[in-house]
Amino acid sequence: MTVTATSVDRSDQLTPRPAPGARGLALLRRLVPAAVSALSGVLLYVSFPPRTLWWLALPAFAGFGWVLRGRTWKAALGLGYLFGLGFLLPLLVWTGVEVGPGPWLALVAIEAIFVALVGVGVAAVSKLPAWPVWAAALWIAGEAARARVPFRGFPWGKIAFGQADGVFLPLAAVGGTPVLGFAVVLCGFGLYEVGRLAVEGRRTREIRRGAAAAALLSVAVPVVGAVAARTLVSDEAENGSVTVALIQGNVPRAGLDFASQRQAVLDHHVQETLKLAADIKAGKVAKPAFVLWPENSSDVDPYADADAAAVIDEASKAVGVPISVGGVVERDGKLLNEQILWDPVKGPTATYDKRQIQPFGEYLPLRGLVGAINKNWTSMVRQDFSRGTKPGVFDIDGTKVGLATCYEAAFDWDVRDTVTRGAEMISVPSNNATFDRSEMTYQQLAMSRIRAVEHSRTVTVPVTSGVSAIIMPDGRITQRTGMFVPAYLVQKVPLRTSRTPATELGILPEIALVLAAAGGVGWAIGSGLRRRRAGDA
């Protein structure tokens, strides 16, 4: 009889399996940071207009700091992406109002990559001394990148744009949106660090004084700086005052197809201007020095269409003052989004062509690829708009009015260069009809409030369908309309000529913060290499 020896693998018996409760606990430890990161992003979204819960940005960044501290770069990348999705998915939902969820989801997926990369940087610097400073600078560096690429950038969602009602608002006059945003993020990360050190001190019964002082300063300095910056905020007239009128003509109905009704849109703005003229004649309202129409108030080219020119001329003569008309014109084979200064005697006298045109709205990048995916999208933008090349400042009977058309209000440089070229007030003619009753119009209105404080200028916002508004140099809204109603606003507003530090410094604060972010990352990498070498030795 042959006996065959067999070996039995008993490794599974020798290695203890984790208990079901232990496996569940391990899974929970992985899921909790992911959930906190996404929910912190949602909390950041809730801090934005139309809500006035600006202070929620602080616990949002405190939560973000907690989930990122000490993480590997892979974990930080994922957690940062979840934070970006939680923030941007609801914030930008209006981008899919008329074109469906595809472009909205694609935009968010791309923009969240920037937030994910910031998350990697925050995790890297989270063990450095005074890490909230480097982490906040990294966030601003991420915003700087998003404002420039791809397709010339998309700055929507800058932290500063959620702070129009907040205590940090005066810092916009110090260094613009980068400094305002940096202060908010720094304070949020600082709050987390204060809490972390308090828990650590209670556990170890030791207080690291240097770390505690840095954490407290991270919270205190932004608040104290904002209080001190209030001296820069004023709505006093420096070069007299001027009475202005804004026309909101409304559109026949919301949606992309309103362009097919462009004659009706023009007629609505003419009719509302004629109503204003009648009320001036009846003594119900003061006569303005000029009238501001919104973007796309005349999608019928008045240079090519005699009837359009005639009704604009009629409106200008009736009110007896120049009108800034938002037109779509074709010149030398180029399609332009143009503001036209229409004089009641001379007709069109000056123009401004929009420089920062909206990708996938006013021009179509990657047209061949987009058309292959969905031909309907290419049909919506049959011809690309061309970009203007010069800043817009209209001299209207001695009053210099800077122009930033709609989307341009989101870009720091497009607003600033009107002021550096002499603008005593700013107008942001806009058309939000495409986005129906979404939050978009309120988000954009908040941007204009930030710009008012940033440059200490009155800002007017004439919109086709609302919300139109008049904003004082201190960021207060003194008059506003409803949405999808015809209306006009008339008010005497202050003209200002002084420049804030933000206007004078321009891009320099942003550059300084980007360099600080790079320095923090470099320090973190160098520290990691030194620790590795010490371990190898």
Side-chain angles (χ1 to χ4, degrees):
M1 182 173 68
T2 303
V3 178
T4 303
T6 59
S7 61
V8 179
D9 184 0
R10 300 179 183 275
S11 59
D12 58 335
Q13 298 175 14
L14 298 175
T15 303
R17 294 181 179 179
R23 289 198 300 269
L25 186 60
L27 179 62
L28 186 63
R29 285 174 177 170
R30 288 195 294 268
L31 290 179
V32 166
V36 170
S37 190
L39 290 174
S40 294
V42 173
L43 198 64
L44 182 58
Y45 154 70
V46 176
S47 75
F48 272 66
R51 295 157 296 277
T52 57
L53 303 174
W54 57 270
W55 51 272
L56 286 178
L58 304 182
F61 279 103
F64 195 39
W66 175 75
V67 300
L68 289 176
R69 179 174 172 79
R71 299 286 178 181
T72 65
W73 73 266
K74 290 182 180 179
L77 188 70
L79 291 169
Y81 199 77
L82 286 172
F83 183 84
L85 291 179
F87 173 42
L88 296 171
L89 270 172
L91 185 81
L92 302 178
V93 67
W94 52 267
T95 59
V97 167
E98 292 296 332
V99 295
W104 161 50
L105 295 175
L107 174 64
V108 171
I110 293 170
E111 294 294 305
I113 293 173
F114 291 91
V115 182
L117 294 174
V118 168
V120 173
V122 172
V125 303
S126 63
K127 295 297 183 67
L128 295 180
W131 71 266
V133 175
W134 316 114
L138 275 162
W139 183 272
I140 300 305
E143 287 189 344
R146 285 204 302 120
R148 290 165 174 83
V149 293
F151 313 126
R152 298 205 176 192
F154 187 75
W156 224 275
K158 275 191 168 189
I159 299 305
F161 296 152
Q163 297 295 310
D165 293 293
V167 298
F168 299 102
L169 177 61
L171 290 170
V174 176
T177 61
V179 167
L180 173 53
F182 174 76
V184 175
V185 180
L186 175 61
C187 195
F189 284 144
L191 282 173
Y192 161 65
E193 182 67 354
V194 168
R196 188 188 71 81
L197 290 173
V199 171
E200 179 186 90
R202 185 174 299 177
R203 186 177 65 250
T204 63
R205 296 185 179 182
E206 292 182 7
I207 297 176
R208 292 187 290 146
R209 293 183 179 180
L216 289 171
L217 287 172
S218 296
V219 177
V221 169
V223 175
V224 173
V227 172
R230 290 182 63 85
T231 59
L232 299 173
V233 180
S234 173
D235 62 357
E236 293 183 5
E238 294 176 328
N239 195 32
S241 302
V242 66
T243 300
V244 300
L246 281 62
I247 299 295
Q248 178 175 299
N250 201 16
V251 299
R253 61 180 181 272
L256 285 175
D257 63 347
F258 93 93
S260 64
Q261 310 160 50
R262 54 189 181 274
Q263 185 62 53
V265 174
L266 172 57
D267 290 342
H268 283 200
H269 285 83
V270 169
Q271 290 163 13
E272 195 63 24
T273 306
L274 294 177
K275 178 183 176 183
L276 169 63
D279 288 347
I280 293 170
K281 188 174 181 180
K284 295 180 180 179
V285 294
K287 183 177 181 178
F290 50 87
V291 176
L292 301 170
W293 282 11
E295 177 189 37
N296 297 127
S297 48
S298 179
D299 275 356
V300 184
D301 186 347
Y303 296 108
D305 189 299
D307 291 338
V311 295
I312 295 171
D313 204 51
E314 176 191 5
S316 182
K317 283 181 165 59
V319 79
V321 297
I323 300 176
S324 180
V325 177
V328 172
V329 305
E330 189 167 351
R331 183 180 299 114
D332 301 325
K334 296 180 179 179
L335 193 63
L336 299 167
N337 186 332
E338 188 167 86
Q339 286 290 311
I340 308 165
L341 185 60
W342 201 286
D343 187 86
V345 177
K346 302 176 183 178
T349 58
T351 61
Y352 166 64
D353 298 324
K354 187 176 182 180
R355 294 171 292 160
Q356 196 70 43
I357 57 177
Q358 184 180 351
F360 303 100
E362 293 172 306
Y363 80 101
L364 200 59
L366 310 174
R367 181 176 288 272
L369 177 61
V370 171
I373 297 171
N374 190 325
K375 291 183 179 180
N376 290 332
W377 295 343
T378 57
S379 65
M380 290 178 184
V381 188
R382 291 193 178 94
Q383 181 180 351
D384 291 344
F385 279 81
S386 295
R387 303 177 187 276
T389 57
K390 297 179 180 179
V393 180
F394 283 167
D395 189 332
I396 311 177
D397 293 334
T399 299
K400 293 185 177 181
V401 181
L403 299 165
T405 304
C406 197
Y407 184 56
E408 293 183 318
F411 293 84
D412 296 347
W413 46 90
D414 274 330
V415 181
R416 176 180 178 267
D417 62 10
T418 68
V419 179
T420 58
R421 283 163 174 77
E424 300 163 299
M425 61 171 287
I426 300 168
S427 184
V428 184
S430 302
N431 171 29
N432 298 338
T434 301
F435 305 108
D436 202 10
R437 296 182 180 273
S438 69
E439 294 182 355
M440 182 270 187
T441 190
Y442 301 102
Q443 293 171 8
Q444 190 178 56
L445 184 60
M447 293 178 192
S448 295
R449 295 179 64 189
I450 300 300
R451 300 307 181 193
V453 175
E454 181 179 10
H455 300 293
S456 193
R457 295 293 187 270
T458 297
V459 177
T460 57
V461 188
V463 185
T464 51
S465 55
V467 172
S468 300
I470 297 175
I471 305 167
M472 290 292 99
D474 61 3
R476 288 180 300 116
I477 296 176
T478 52
Q479 288 194 61
R480 63 190 299 171
T481 69
M483 293 185 70
F484 292 100
V485 292
Y488 67 74
L489 302 175
V490 179
Q491 186 174 320
K492 188 176 183 180
V493 299
L495 300 176
R496 293 179 61 83
T497 53
S498 63
R499 296 185 181 182
T500 63
T503 308
E504 293 285 3
L505 292 171
I507 198 175
L508 292 179
E510 186 177 60
I511 291 174
L513 290 169
V514 170
L515 291 175
V521 171
W523 184 5
I525 292 172
S527 297
L529 291 174
R530 285 192 294 273
R531 285 195 299 269
R532 186 176 300 175
R533 288 170 185 166
D536 292 342

